[in-house]
Amino acid sequence: MAVETTRGTVLHWRAHSWPLRSRLTPVASLHSVARELHGLAGGPYTVVVLGMGAHFTTFPPSIFARRLAGIQAAVKALLDREPSTQVVIKLANTGYKSVYGSDWLTLQMNRFLRAAFVGLRVAFVDAWEMTSSLAVPDDIHPRKFIVRNEVELFLSFICPT
């Protein structure tokens, strides 16, 4: 949690629950994204950012599809409850080359994400386009200038003026 008192900004970060490839996140810190969304009141000063995909690339797409269905239903319920809530979804980026996954699988997950939220008022930060369109070395963790572009695009959705 981070608090910036001058502008009254509060930031909550949550790790999603399984599957998670990091051994550094304590089990007590894992949360169901759908449950977290169902617990939000929402409103004009609430922005929800979802970054799904990267940790699912080493698992069968069926696991991602099941998780995504629950999250989509929770986002829909949140927007039905409070339509002024802003929801931004960060798509996965390129750069994952491994025997366990690939950019091709990541692209399919991004397609699942876009399809799941058709008709809902959500914005997308297309990290795939940002990383695939630049001549940079493959890296699952993009370089700082790409992350900066992602943040600036995100901010353009929530602070348009």
Side-chain angles (χ1 to χ4, degrees):
M1 178 175 173
V3 177
E4 197 281 306
T5 57
T6 306
R7 292 184 180 88
T9 303
V10 179
L11 173 85
H12 292 272
W13 178 86
R14 298 280 195 260
H16 62 77
S17 60
W18 307 106
L20 187 67
R21 291 188 320 221
S22 172
R23 290 185 215 120
L24 303 176
T25 305
V27 173
S29 295
L30 301 179
H31 300 268
S32 161
V33 174
R35 259 190 240 124
E36 292 285 328
L37 292 172
H38 284 302
L40 282 178
Y45 301 105
T46 301
V47 179
V48 175
V49 181
L50 301 171
M52 302 172 288
H55 290 151
F56 289 91
T57 56
T58 55
F59 295 90
S62 60
I63 291 174
F64 183 66
R66 279 195 306 270
R67 181 70 56 86
L68 187 54
I71 293 169
Q72 186 272 356
V75 167
K76 183 179 182 324
L78 174 62
L79 293 173
D80 287 346
R81 201 168 52 246
E82 188 50 75
S84 60
T85 304
Q86 293 181 301
V87 178
V88 180
I89 298 169
K90 181 197 171 287
L91 299 177
N93 52 269
T94 60
Y96 185 55
K97 307 282 192 294
S98 164
V99 296
Y100 301 109
S102 67
D103 283 346
W104 183 87
L105 180 57
T106 304
L107 179 61
Q108 303 318 305
M109 292 182 151
N110 283 347
R111 289 177 176 164
F112 287 158
L113 280 164
R114 283 195 182 274
F117 293 98
V118 164
L120 295 179
R121 200 179 59 78
V122 302
F124 291 95
V125 172
D126 196 337
W128 177 271
E129 291 291 333
M130 290 181 185
T131 53
S132 66
S133 63
L134 298 169
V136 294
D138 283 334
D139 192 347
I140 194 154
H141 298 106
R143 294 187 174 192
K144 286 183 182 180
F145 76 93
I146 294 172
V147 173
R148 181 184 180 122
N149 286 341
E150 291 172 352
V151 170
E152 287 175 356
L153 180 57
F154 161 70
L155 290 174
S156 77
F157 294 126
I158 65 169
C159 313
T161 58

